[in-house]
Amino acid sequence: MDTAIVSWTAFEPILPEMFLVCIALAIIGFDLFAGKQREQLIPWITVLGGLIVLGMVAGEKYGQAFDGMFITDGYASFFKVVCMIGVIMAALMSEHFRRSEALPLGEYNSLMVLSAVGMLIMASAGDLMVLYLGLELMALSVYCLVGLHHGDPKTGEAAMKYFLMGGFASAILLYGMSLVYGLTGTTNIAKIAQLSSSGQLLTNPALMAGLGMMIAAFCFKVAIAPFHFWTPDVYEGAPTPVTAFMSVGPKAAGFAVFGRVLVSGFPQFHDSWGTLLSVLALLTMAIGNITALSQVSIKRMLAYSAIAHAGYALLGVLCGTPEGLSSTMSYLLIYAFMNMGAFAILILMSSPDNHRETLDDFKGLAKTNPAAAFMMMIFMFSLTGIPPTAGFMGKFYLLKSALAAGYTMTVIGAVIFSSISAYFYLRVVRYMYMSDPEHEVAINFTPGISVVLGLSLLGVIGLGLFPGSMIAQAAGALLGQ
Amino acid sequence: MIPLSWYMALAAILFAIGVCGFLTRRNIIIMFLSTELMLNAVNLNFVAMSHYLESMNGQVFTFFIITVAAAEAAIGLGIAVSLYRSSRHTVHVDEINELKG
């Protein structure tokens, strides 16, 4: 009898994800059996695996799998690359961090790789069900990562806050999805777009409510005001490599689903969500930049800066145009490099007895350690958006596409808040270069952190001077969609 | 047969109770229970709609939600236990206030 045989070729599109799961399991096994002295190999396993996945993602064949539930296209690949860069850099950071803090390397790396699986699934989701599963896989792993550093009551508190707020947001997301499903009868994003274009549904208040709830939940995931309250506490409480990872990976994945659902699922509703998001983007930039002014802890300042940058990145999504989306994509890539760099300096400064996270600890760094101070200056310039760094190019393209889409007031607001942000970024530079050192800071450049800093510097300067190829890549990714 | 709107109304009420519970209660365990209530309201919505639309997607979705909720409970209670041990023996959010500003 001819039985239905599993067609293995159907699994080809999810090979990178399956490979990542294998890496995570291998790390858990290695951590169990290899013993204490070989523990330092674990970050390098992650890096190696990450590089292989990066190659697989770059060479992916475009198409659809599982009846349109899983889409591999240029859009997904671009976000996957950003997420994998985040994973690789965070693994390298843990190689340094374990020397000063008791970080369980096996758990850290395996959880991080598992959350990366979730992110890749989110980037490729063509169905609300897949989207939800990817989102939860990512979120549940990150909740654990935040609380990993036991012994410190701060991390427990951060993990609990993140977990409760995250659970609340996913429940709201699901309720929105259930309303959309009830009205359209499908969970496939492309089919939702087809069905909701008919006249009746266009004005249906329940569909609008469902869409609004989904937007609220996505805003929560990428820390858009007024759903940003968890961000500063969680970013401050989490171990620094985890904070760096969270500000890059989950954020990029969140924007991937934001763009996918709004632009390919609800293009007919652009008038409504475009206006809503332009208000939220302004609010986010205002809250992020103004609250960051009063922070003394650099880690907390970077948390508020992450909120502000989510507001900038939203500028591209709210356009609803391919041009806007591609500028958001390039901005997230640039942001990955500059933010990872800034956090790497923060990790470099920290020692077992003193975290050295406040502004005062950076006083006179240029005299005690010119190399670290110089790199921090480059990253701060890039976060402010000063040419010739990549941050400037990213912001330029975002503002240009928002202006082209007709959101003039939002663009004016963005420019004003961006100039306010110069105060707190450049204050760090002023403290480093124009104050006298208060105490000696011993800095130890280990291989892991040196690679992170080198890559970030290369990314920030390289993409700042030659942005053309990245922009072309992002724009080309969308044309294939 | 019970009309769909009854189920949806029940789900909406359950969801609203969950939201109110989450926003007003200050005990971590109760807040967590409230989110579970919200998830179950969603499940009810999905199953009812799936039945009336005669499509399987909603029921499959419900299975996934139940599975994820179980994983979430394991992680959430784990975090609560570790927080209870490491800080000051409380599960009251007003007393957990190291991080602010």
Side-chain angles (χ1 to χ4, degrees):
Chain A
M1 203 178 90
D2 193 29
T3 47
I5 299 165
V6 178
S7 144
W8 292 105
T9 49
F11 288 89
E12 207 186 310
I14 57 164
L15 270 183
E17 285 80 3
M18 296 205 303
F19 184 69
L20 270 181
V21 173
C22 295
I23 296 172
L25 295 178
I27 292 171
I28 295 172
F30 189 83
D31 186 42
L32 265 180
F33 299 116
K36 268 279 163 219
Q37 65 276 26
R38 264 172 288 175
E39 208 188 49
Q40 73 264 29
L41 286 176
I42 291 175
W44 301 105
I45 300 178
T46 317
V47 172
L48 187 68
L51 285 174
I52 295 173
V53 172
L54 210 55
M56 288 165 103
V57 166
E60 226 167 26
K61 266 186 284 177
Y62 295 161
Q64 295 193 347
F66 305 107
D67 199 21
M69 282 189 146
F70 194 87
I71 304 172
T72 44
D73 55 7
Y75 178 78
S77 295
F78 196 95
F79 278 107
K80 287 179 182 181
V81 168
V82 177
C83 293
M84 288 319 293
I85 288 175
V87 170
I88 292 171
M89 291 221 202
L92 289 167
M93 283 178 179
S94 74
E95 196 271 333
H96 176 92
F97 195 69
R98 73 176 169 86
R99 293 160 207 254
S100 57
E101 310 267 340
L103 188 73
L105 273 184
E107 285 89 340
Y108 173 86
N109 280 282
S110 55
L111 282 170
M112 199 167 64
V113 171
L114 282 176
S115 81
V117 178
M119 290 173 209
L120 300 202
I121 293 175
M122 280 164 83
S124 275
D127 191 288
L128 296 181
M129 233 183 276
V130 178
L131 191 157
Y132 170 69
L133 288 177
L135 189 99
E136 285 297 319
L137 181 54
M138 175 194 85
L140 292 181
S141 317
V142 178
Y143 300 149
C144 298
L145 273 177
V146 171
L148 204 54
H149 204 315
H150 40 123
D152 187 355
K154 264 191 188 176
T155 61
E157 182 185 339
M160 199 67 228
K161 279 183 178 165
Y162 192 26
F163 170 77
L164 283 176
M165 299 306 282
F168 188 66
S170 351
I172 289 179
L173 173 74
L174 283 172
Y175 198 79
M177 282 179 175
S178 77
L179 289 181
V180 172
Y181 168 69
L183 289 164
T184 58
T186 176
T187 49
N188 188 301
I189 295 173
K191 281 194 194 132
I192 289 173
Q194 278 172 23
L195 291 166
S196 61
S197 61
S198 73
Q200 251 184 343
L201 280 179
L202 265 178
T203 49
N204 191 313
L207 192 63
M208 296 294 262
L211 178 60
M213 289 173 117
M214 284 165 71
I215 289 179
F218 293 149
C219 285
F220 174 87
K221 289 288 167 203
V222 296
I224 296 287
F227 308 100
H228 67 285
F229 289 104
W230 58 277
T231 320
D233 287 354
V234 174
Y235 278 29
E236 192 189 348
T240 317
V242 177
T243 313
F245 175 65
M246 279 169 67
S247 69
V248 172
K251 182 164 274 184
F255 271 108
V257 293
F258 221 134
R260 176 88 73 189
V261 168
L262 290 184
V263 178
S264 26
F266 295 92
Q268 292 87 7
F269 297 85
H270 176 244
D271 286 345
S272 327
W273 57 256
T275 321
L276 174 70
L277 290 187
S278 69
V279 175
L280 291 185
L282 264 183
L283 190 66
T284 311
M285 288 182 270
I287 290 178
N289 284 322
I290 292 172
T291 327
L293 292 175
S294 61
Q295 302 303 322
V296 280
S297 156
I298 294 196
K299 202 172 171 187
R300 208 172 169 87
M301 183 202 92
L302 284 173
Y304 280 108
S305 120
I307 298 175
H309 284 272
Y312 300 136
L314 196 62
L315 282 178
V317 177
L318 63 90
C319 301
T321 56
E323 194 200 1
L325 268 188
S326 72
S327 61
T328 296
M329 287 153 73
S330 3
Y331 193 71
L332 287 168
L333 179 65
I334 292 168
Y335 181 69
F337 284 118
M338 56 195 187
N339 217 35
M340 278 291 181
F343 275 112
I345 299 281
L346 217 55
I347 292 174
L348 202 58
M349 297 281 290
S350 135
S351 65
D353 49 324
N354 188 351
H355 288 303
R356 298 210 194 92
E357 278 163 8
T358 63
L359 267 173
D360 286 339
D361 295 321
F362 277 74
K363 268 188 182 166
L365 187 66
K367 294 201 180 71
T368 53
N369 201 307
F374 177 73
M375 285 188 277
M376 189 65 170
M377 181 180 76
I378 299 281
F379 298 135
M380 288 294 128
F381 277 0
S382 185
L383 284 167
T384 322
I386 294 174
T389 55
F392 168 74
M393 294 316 297
K395 246 179 220 173
F396 175 73
Y397 283 110
L398 278 173
L399 295 178
K400 199 180 90 171
S401 51
L403 204 58
Y407 292 96
T408 320
M409 287 316 286
T410 319
V411 171
I412 294 174
V415 172
I416 292 173
F417 290 124
S418 176
S419 53
I420 290 176
S421 77
Y423 173 75
F424 60 84
Y425 289 129
L426 300 185
R427 185 172 52 177
V428 180
V429 179
R430 198 195 68 191
Y431 271 60
M432 288 191 305
Y433 279 86
M434 296 175 191
S435 304
D436 288 321
E438 287 182 345
H439 29 66
E440 204 61 26
V441 181
I443 284 183
N444 177 18
F445 284 96
T446 56
I449 209 84
S450 308
V451 175
V452 174
L453 285 170
L455 279 177
S456 313
L457 211 57
L458 198 70
V460 168
I461 302 285
L463 293 177
L465 293 176
F466 310 103
S469 60
M470 172 195 58
I471 298 288
Q473 191 77 38
L478 282 162
L479 289 179
Q481 196 184 19
Chain B
M1 205 156 86
I2 303 170
L4 175 62
S5 52
W6 290 25
Y7 287 107
M8 287 190 66
L10 175 62
I13 292 168
L14 278 179
F15 192 80
I17 294 174
V19 172
C20 293
F22 185 85
L23 296 177
T24 54
R25 292 305 196 94
R26 283 288 157 263
N27 183 311
I28 287 172
I29 307 293
I30 305 281
M31 286 169 84
F32 177 59
L33 281 178
S34 303
T35 61
E36 293 290 305
L37 190 63
M38 290 161 74
L39 288 182
N40 281 318
V42 173
N43 286 341
L44 188 63
N45 234 355
F46 268 122
V47 172
M49 282 166 176
S50 167
H51 180 73
Y52 280 85
L53 292 166
E54 289 176 359
S55 96
M56 286 302 289
N57 284 23
Q59 295 181 36
V60 176
F61 209 148
T62 305
F63 279 120
F64 283 126
I65 296 173
I66 293 171
T67 317
V68 171
E72 207 172 335
I75 286 171
L77 295 178
I79 293 174
V81 169
S82 107
L83 178 66
Y84 184 78
R85 282 199 192 137
S86 76
S87 59
R88 49 203 90 167
H89 295 270
T90 176
V91 285
H92 215 260
V93 282
D94 290 335
E95 290 161 32
I96 303 169
N97 50 12
E98 289 252 332
L99 295 160
K100 54 173 106 149

